[in-house]
């Protein structure tokens, strides 16, 4: 099988990896073009220092790096290896960093990568140049090392060429050709090349190439300093290129690598130096290569001073050469992978560093050949994940520069993002400010985490204080808001959750084809259901409300759901999908007194008979028309109340005036998260992702196997009989040992899984952690341990849900 005609733009580490991987899967009618010479094309791959550290808070990114290491270890060029597996060592020079290394050790343990923590003596033993008096400890990953990027490019080019892939050096792409919404080829300075699929792997030139296909790529090339010392006397006589581990000194934004008797020094400690992709010189114009800018010595001064302090042997050497090398940064530090939403057949694999390059090559090859990626969960990397405001030039530049500055910073999971902010505010924002809301950001929305006005609720209550890390961006008010929600009633701003409208005479049939449940039911029905990929993996969990015969409202998880719907629209125009989030808003009114708040405000019947659980109807709340859905993600009686943005302020005030005399409150996301975990409600992207199926994730009830065919049904039937892991509820007795997510779970000394979501349950009086575990360890009562920094936290498998298992409060 030759496959379709494919053109890959860019022959760096990503383009070469994709050519190798896709040809190994049988697609050999592939042409790779690059404006530069081969194998050193002049892009970022050609000057990359090659340090491969696999440690990452993202499971996907760690797995992409692990595959890259495994592949590069198997590659050589005429006997010269493409990877020097010297190990990777991160050192701490402050107590805060030492604590952070313990957290990072938890990540790699969770993802199944060998690692261990070292004391000072062990760090010096591994890297004798280190100043013993400066280092407190370290984290060693033995399988890390140095990628010889240009050699890896050459090795993969050779393999792909043997299968028939054609490589064309010195071919500059001038245009991406298209007709009727599909690519037809590329135009180069040496003529056109027809294609059915075009993949942009152009790296720092990516935004320019993508623009040729009408695509806005949120990527900024930024200069990063790399310097080389002259001979270091302490290294005299070193005949191997690298014998010591690659080294990171993140307290000073520095990294180091061997090069025989010299040392390479990389620095992120200088000012951000962005450049437009349009301003990068051509191969022929550049003195050295287009991705290398002139070294600015003044920006390196602090890095050199700190280097001499950490590695005293460098005091006898000088900085003899240096570059400001361009690398790609994105607004959320993830790659940009996937197909254009507007031009079919135009794909991108951008913002990928050497560390993840081979993994991305494999992922893209699977995605292109099979229609989905089976080896990696790519939801964090999909180029269509962004909201419109996240593609604006001001936003992209600000966030990309911020990410450069923070690349080695210790970042808390809840740490607020920087400028530009605020961007999106709900109609309730002014009222929330009046109540002292502490805002965090969600998809650009300002979303309250708690309200200082509720501080008085703490009187007479016992809300335990968590450990210092978990207590950041936390307040005991969170606990009080959660408890009061269960006692009386609370209002929650749910505006940040994405809402889609699906309309047209073919809407019902369209949705039935995409979801696992039956949604073509009576008007007023609401269905919790799933979107699956073709391999049976969960793409999203959604609610579908039938508001009219040909109109449905979908409660979605983000822009990828909109993209998935849009890609599956019928060609006959019988279905339309649009994002109604910006023009609407939502209040969640929940608690045992919710009906006492709502019923006096309307002539509609909101009794249990008047609006049953998982039903919807139109009503008037005072003078505000709303769509009311009897849903609750906190496990209490209540409704989601939707109206247009212009009437949101009035809706809020109307509900608040009625709730306040009954002891009602407004509550934030901190309380919401605690309450939803007490009920065992999953969060897509955190608890379950593309790599999980419904039966593993505990949402098999949302699958109706007797319905007609839906996407993923055949694969799901195969997976149902082979459930080897499960999303499992764990409880923790010690309130100070509440964890935060991504920590390893251990059975004895054996790592067996990892935590997804966690919080303290203020109603049940225990810590809650959901975790992925082997099926044989999910029996209630099983005792396990969670690795949390330097602690082993005892946790017990529990039967879920922890609160109101009979669902009496929801159905009251």
């Amino acid at each position: 099988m030759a496959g379709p005609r494919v053109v890959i733009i860019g022959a760096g580490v990503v383009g070469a990896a994709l050519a190798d991987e896709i040809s190994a899967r049988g697609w050999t009618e592939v042409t790779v073009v690059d404006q530069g010479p081969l194998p050193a094309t002049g892009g970022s791959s050609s000057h990359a220092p090659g340090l491969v550290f696999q440690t990452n808070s993202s499971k996907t990114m760690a797995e992409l790096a692990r595959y890259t290491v495994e592949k590069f270890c198997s590659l050589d060029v005429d006997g010269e290896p493409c990877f020097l597996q010297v190990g990777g060592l991160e050192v701490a020079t402050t107590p805060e960093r030492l604590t952070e290394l313990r957290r990072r050790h938890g990540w790699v343990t969770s993802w199944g990568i060998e690692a261990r923590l070292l004391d000072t003596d062990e760090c010096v033993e591994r890297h004798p140049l280190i100043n013993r008096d400066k280092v407190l400890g370290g984290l060693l990953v033995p399988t890390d090392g140095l990628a010889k990027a240009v050699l890896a490019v050459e090795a993969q080019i050779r393999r792909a060429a043997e299968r028939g892939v054609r490589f064309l050096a010195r071919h500059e792409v001038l245009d991406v050709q298209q007709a009727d919404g599909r690519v037809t080829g590329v135009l180069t300075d040496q003529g056109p090349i027809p294609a059915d699929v075009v993949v942009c792997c152009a790296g720092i030139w990516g935004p320019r190439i993508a623009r040729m296909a009408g695509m806005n790529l949120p990527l900024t090339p930024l200069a990063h300093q790399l310097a080389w010392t002259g001979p270091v006397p302490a290294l005299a006589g070193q005949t191997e290129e690298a014998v010591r581990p690659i080294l990171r000194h993140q307290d000073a934004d520095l990294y180091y690598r061997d090069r025989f008797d010299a040392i390479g020094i990389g620095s992120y400690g200088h000012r951000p130096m962005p450049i437009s992709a349009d301003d990068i010189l051509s191969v022929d114009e550049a003195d050295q290569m287009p991705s290398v800018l002139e070294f600015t010595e003044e920006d390196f001064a602090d890095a050199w001073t700190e280097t001499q302090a950490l590695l005293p042997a460098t005091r006898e050497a000088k900085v003899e050469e240096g570059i400001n090398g361009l690398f790609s940064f994105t607004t959320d530090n993830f790659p940009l992978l996937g197909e254009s939403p507007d031009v079919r057949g135009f794909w991108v694999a951008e913002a990928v560093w050497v560390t993840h390059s081979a993994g991305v090559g494999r992922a893209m090859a699977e995605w292109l050949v099979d229609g989905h990626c089976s080896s990696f969960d790519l939801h964090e990397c999909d180029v269509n994940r962004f909201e419109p405001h996240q593609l604006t030039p001001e936003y992209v530049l600000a966030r990309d520069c911020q990410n450069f500055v923070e690349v080695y910073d210790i970042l808390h999971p809840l740490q607020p993002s920087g400028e530009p902010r605020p961007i999106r505010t709900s109609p309730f924002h002014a009222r929330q400010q009046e109540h002292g809301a502490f805002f965090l950001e969600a998809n650009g929305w300002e979303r309250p985490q708690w309200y200082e006005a509720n501080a008085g609720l703490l009187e007479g209550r016992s809300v335990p204080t968590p450990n210092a890390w978990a207590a950041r961006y936390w307040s005991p008010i969170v606990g009080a808001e959660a408890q009061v929600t269960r006692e009386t009633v609370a209002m929650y701003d749910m505006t940040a959750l994405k809402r889609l409208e699906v309309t047209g005479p073919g809407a019902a049939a369209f949705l039935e084809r995409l979801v696992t449940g039956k949604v073509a039911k009576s008007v007023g029905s609401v269905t919790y259901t799933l979107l699956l990929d073709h391999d049976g993996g969960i793409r999203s969990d959604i609610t579908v409300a039938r508001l009219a015969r040909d109109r449905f409202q979908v409660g979605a998880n983000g822009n990828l759901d909109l993209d998935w719907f849009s890609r599956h629209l019928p060609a006959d125009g019988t279905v339309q999908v649009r994002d109604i989030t910006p023009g609407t808003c939502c209040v969640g009114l929940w608690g045992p007194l919710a009906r006492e708040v709502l019923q006096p405000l309307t002539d509609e019947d909101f009794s249990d008979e008047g609006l049953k659980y998982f039903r919807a109807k139109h009503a008037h709340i005072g003078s505000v028309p709303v769509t009311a859905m009897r849903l609750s993600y906190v496990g209490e009686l209540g409704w989601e109340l939707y109206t247009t943005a212009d009437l949101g302020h009035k809706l809020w005030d109307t509900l608040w005036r009625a709730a306040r005399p009954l002891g009602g409150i407004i509550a934030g996301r901190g309380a919401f998260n605690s309450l939803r975990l007490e009920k065992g409600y999953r969060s897509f992207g955190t608890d379950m992702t593309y790599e999980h199926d419904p039966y593993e994730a505990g949402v098999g009830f949302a699958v109706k196997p007797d319905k007609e065919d839906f996407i993923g049904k055949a694969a799901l039937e195969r997976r149902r009989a082979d459930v080897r892991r499960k999303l499992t509820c764990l409880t923790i007795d010690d309130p100070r040992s509440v964890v935060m997510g991504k920590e390893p779970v251990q059975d004895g000394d054996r790592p067996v899984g990892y935590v997804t979501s966690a919080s303290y349950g203020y109603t049940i009086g225990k810590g809650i952690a959901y975790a992925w575990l082997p099926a044989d360890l999910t029996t209630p009562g099983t005792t396990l341990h969670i690795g949390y920094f330097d602690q082993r936290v005892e946790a017990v498998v529990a039967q879920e849900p922890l609160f109101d298992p009979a669902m009496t409060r929801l159905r009251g």
Side-chain angles (χ1 to χ4, degrees):
M1 180 185 77
R5 298 169 300 174
V6 179
V7 170
I8 298 172
I9 303 173
V13 283
V14 181
L18 176 55
D20 180 35
E21 296 282 346
I22 203 169
S23 60
R25 285 166 174 76
W27 283 17
T28 55
E29 197 169 340
V30 178
T31 302
V32 182
V33 299
D34 200 292
Q35 62 183 341
L38 300 176
T41 63
S44 300
S45 304
S46 302
H47 70 73
L51 286 79
V52 176
F53 288 93
Q54 298 166 84
T55 305
N56 199 292
S57 62
S58 164
K59 182 173 183 283
T60 296
M61 297 301 283
E63 290 177 341
L64 291 169
R66 176 166 52 192
Y67 180 80
T68 301
V69 167
E70 292 170 354
K71 183 175 183 181
F72 281 11
C73 282
S74 71
L75 298 177
D76 69 89
V77 175
D78 300 330
E80 186 175 355
C82 294
F83 195 79
L84 306 177
Q85 201 159 39
V86 293
L89 176 63
E90 300 180 42
V91 296
T93 59
T94 64
E96 294 78 13
R97 182 66 61 178
L98 187 62
T99 300
E100 170 71 357
L101 291 186
R102 293 177 181 134
R103 183 169 72 125
R104 296 173 68 80
H105 179 255
W107 293 342
V108 287
T109 303
S110 291
W111 315 146
I113 299 171
E114 179 190 358
R116 67 188 186 93
L117 293 163
L118 306 183
D119 61 23
T120 300
D121 290 340
E122 291 172 312
C123 290
V124 175
E125 181 183 348
R126 294 281 180 170
H127 202 300
L129 299 188
I130 289 174
N131 183 348
R132 180 187 304 272
D133 295 333
K134 193 169 177 64
V135 171
L136 304 179
L139 172 65
L140 177 72
V141 178
T143 53
D144 286 347
L146 283 169
K148 307 293 289 284
V150 175
L151 275 182
V153 168
E154 184 172 358
Q156 292 174 102
I157 285 176
R158 288 185 181 186
R159 286 163 43 132
E162 288 175 357
R163 303 187 192 104
V165 174
R166 182 173 59 149
F167 288 85
L168 301 178
R170 295 286 185 174
H171 280 61
E172 182 181 0
V173 173
L174 304 177
D175 193 19
V176 175
Q177 298 175 316
Q178 51 192 290
D180 299 323
R182 288 202 61 90
V183 295
T184 58
V186 299
L187 178 65
T188 76
D189 59 352
Q190 299 188 41
I193 305 173
D196 306 301
V197 174
V198 173
V199 187
C200 177
C201 303
I204 53 178
W205 291 277
R208 192 172 77 190
I209 299 296
R211 197 162 57 243
M212 296 175 185
M215 191 174 183
N216 185 1
L217 206 62
L219 179 159
T220 304
L222 282 115
H224 153 62
Q225 290 200 301
L226 175 65
W228 296 95
T229 69
V232 178
L235 304 182
Q238 180 173 318
T239 57
E240 295 181 60
E241 180 176 351
V243 297
R244 280 163 290 277
I246 56 176
L247 179 66
R248 278 206 278 204
H249 176 23
Q250 297 185 92
D251 285 318
D253 298 312
L254 292 167
Y255 63 76
Y256 305 94
R257 57 153 294 178
D258 286 9
R259 189 175 72 178
F260 300 103
D261 63 351
I263 294 175
I265 308 164
S267 172
Y268 291 100
H270 53 81
R271 61 190 169 90
M273 293 183 274
I275 184 172
S276 169
D278 296 321
D279 294 333
I280 301 172
L281 297 178
S282 69
V283 173
D284 294 328
E285 291 174 322
D287 291 335
Q288 186 174 349
M289 64 179 74
S291 62
V292 170
L293 306 181
E294 183 178 354
F295 186 62
T296 50
E297 292 186 20
E298 64 276 14
D299 290 304
F300 196 72
D302 291 342
W304 180 234
T305 299
E306 186 60 36
T307 294
Q308 293 174 306
L310 181 72
L311 307 174
T314 59
R315 296 169 187 168
E316 300 180 62
K318 294 182 179 180
V319 174
E320 293 199 350
E321 56 181 298
I323 63 170
N324 287 6
L326 294 175
F327 289 100
S328 300
F329 280 78
T330 63
T331 57
D332 57 6
N333 289 317
F334 285 101
L336 307 172
L337 311 179
E339 188 181 21
S340 163
D342 301 313
V343 180
R344 296 299 171 94
F346 182 78
W347 293 70
V348 299
E350 289 290 346
V352 181
W353 291 6
V354 173
T355 299
H356 309 102
S357 58
V360 166
R362 177 175 180 176
M364 291 298 295
E366 290 179 355
W367 199 349
L368 285 161
V369 175
D370 302 332
H372 59 85
C373 177
S374 57
S375 295
F376 308 98
D377 162 37
L378 297 182
H379 86 274
E380 294 171 308
C381 307
D382 193 312
V383 70
N384 296 295
R385 65 189 180 268
F386 299 104
E387 296 290 325
H389 75 273
Q390 295 171 322
L391 299 174
T392 60
E394 179 186 31
Y395 182 94
V396 171
L397 180 61
R399 289 293 169 91
D400 289 357
C401 289
Q402 177 185 340
N403 288 337
F404 178 91
V405 170
E406 295 179 346
V407 70
Y408 282 167
D409 286 2
I410 298 171
L411 301 176
H412 191 273
L414 296 179
Q415 187 160 322
S417 53
E419 297 297 326
R421 195 175 165 215
I423 296 177
R424 308 174 84 181
T425 56
S426 80
F428 321 132
H429 188 253
R431 291 290 186 255
Q432 293 164 346
Q433 288 179 308
E434 292 170 4
H435 284 79
F438 180 85
F439 291 102
L440 296 180
E441 186 185 20
N443 292 325
W445 293 97
E446 295 295 316
R447 184 167 66 185
Q449 193 73 358
W450 70 82
Y451 294 88
E452 289 294 335
N454 288 332
L457 299 175
L458 289 167
E459 186 174 351
R461 297 181 184 276
S462 176
V463 176
T465 300
N467 56 80
W469 184 249
R472 296 189 187 184
Y473 310 108
W474 175 88
S475 166
I477 297 171
V478 167
E481 289 177 356
Q483 291 173 354
V484 172
T485 301
R486 298 234 186 271
E487 295 164 1
T488 58
V489 63
M491 293 164 51
Y492 288 82
D493 181 0
M494 305 298 290
T495 302
L497 299 183
K498 199 168 195 70
R499 294 171 291 285
L500 308 177
E501 185 178 71
V502 182
T503 57
F510 166 75
L511 289 168
E512 285 288 333
R513 169 67 179 147
L514 293 183
V515 304
T516 61
K518 295 181 179 180
V519 297
K521 300 185 291 189
S522 62
V523 172
S525 64
V526 183
T527 307
Y528 173 82
T529 187
L530 307 172
L531 301 176
L532 302 183
D533 213 327
H534 294 276
D535 64 348
I538 301 171
R539 287 196 63 95
S540 190
D541 65 332
I542 61 176
T543 56
V544 180
R546 191 170 200 173
L547 303 182
R549 176 181 172 81
D550 295 335
R551 182 163 65 90
F552 295 79
Q553 182 170 309
V554 176
N557 281 299
N559 214 57
L560 290 181
D561 293 344
L562 175 59
D563 181 68
W564 185 254
F565 280 10
S566 299
R567 291 182 186 279
H568 290 88
L569 286 172
D572 60 9
T574 58
V575 183
Q576 296 79 42
V577 176
R578 68 185 185 100
D579 182 1
I580 62 171
T581 312
T584 57
C585 58
C586 179
V587 177
L589 180 70
W590 295 310
L593 301 183
R595 187 172 283 123
E596 294 182 39
V597 172
L598 194 63
Q599 189 59 76
L601 300 175
T602 179
D603 293 333
E604 293 289 335
D605 184 2
F606 277 88
S607 68
D608 188 47
E609 288 299 317
L611 188 62
K612 294 183 180 295
Y613 188 50
F614 266 83
R615 296 288 298 179
K617 69 177 177 181
H618 299 295
H620 293 91
I621 306 303
S623 58
V624 180
V626 302
T627 298
M629 299 186 195
R630 191 169 168 195
L631 309 176
S632 173
Y633 287 93
V634 302
E636 296 291 339
L637 169 68
W639 304 269
E640 293 179 356
L641 303 171
Y642 298 89
T643 192
T644 52
D646 60 320
L647 293 170
H649 198 286
K650 182 65 173 177
L651 175 63
W652 184 273
D653 285 351
T654 301
L655 293 171
W656 178 236
R657 280 195 300 269
R660 192 173 184 181
L662 298 174
I665 62 167
I666 55 176
R669 188 69 180 184
F672 178 94
N673 194 52
S674 171
L675 296 169
R676 70 105 180 161
L677 285 175
E678 289 184 334
K679 284 298 294 179
Y681 293 144
R682 278 64 169 146
S683 173
F684 178 80
T686 303
D687 298 317
M688 54 190 185
T689 66
Y690 293 1
E691 67 175 303
H692 305 116
D693 70 47
Y695 305 111
E696 297 172 329
V699 289
F701 64 88
V703 178
K704 304 303 179 187
D706 59 333
K707 69 173 286 191
E708 294 184 9
D709 193 28
F710 54 85
I711 292 176
K713 181 180 180 181
L716 198 59
E717 289 172 349
R718 295 191 296 269
R719 295 176 68 154
R720 183 176 187 176
D722 190 28
V723 176
R724 302 182 184 182
R725 58 183 175 178
K726 291 183 178 180
L727 184 61
T728 307
C729 180
L730 302 172
T731 58
I732 301 165
D733 286 337
D734 181 1
R736 286 196 55 78
S737 296
V738 172
V739 300
M740 296 203 70
K742 303 188 178 182
E743 298 87 0
V745 181
Q746 297 169 315
D747 179 24
D749 293 328
R750 178 173 63 106
V752 292
Y754 59 92
V755 174
T756 58
S757 294
S759 182
Y760 189 75
Y762 298 100
T763 307
I764 66 167
K766 289 179 181 288
I768 307 168
Y770 272 78
W772 280 101
L773 298 174
D776 60 358
L777 291 177
T778 60
T779 303
T782 302
T783 299
L784 301 167
H785 288 86
I786 299 172
Y788 188 62
F789 295 97
D790 58 348
Q791 302 175 37
R792 278 172 54 87
V793 176
E794 184 174 287
V796 178
V797 175
Q799 186 73 44
E800 59 173 332
L802 299 171
F803 178 79
D804 188 27
M807 306 282 280
T808 55
R809 295 172 74 99
L810 277 169
R811 300 178 183 277

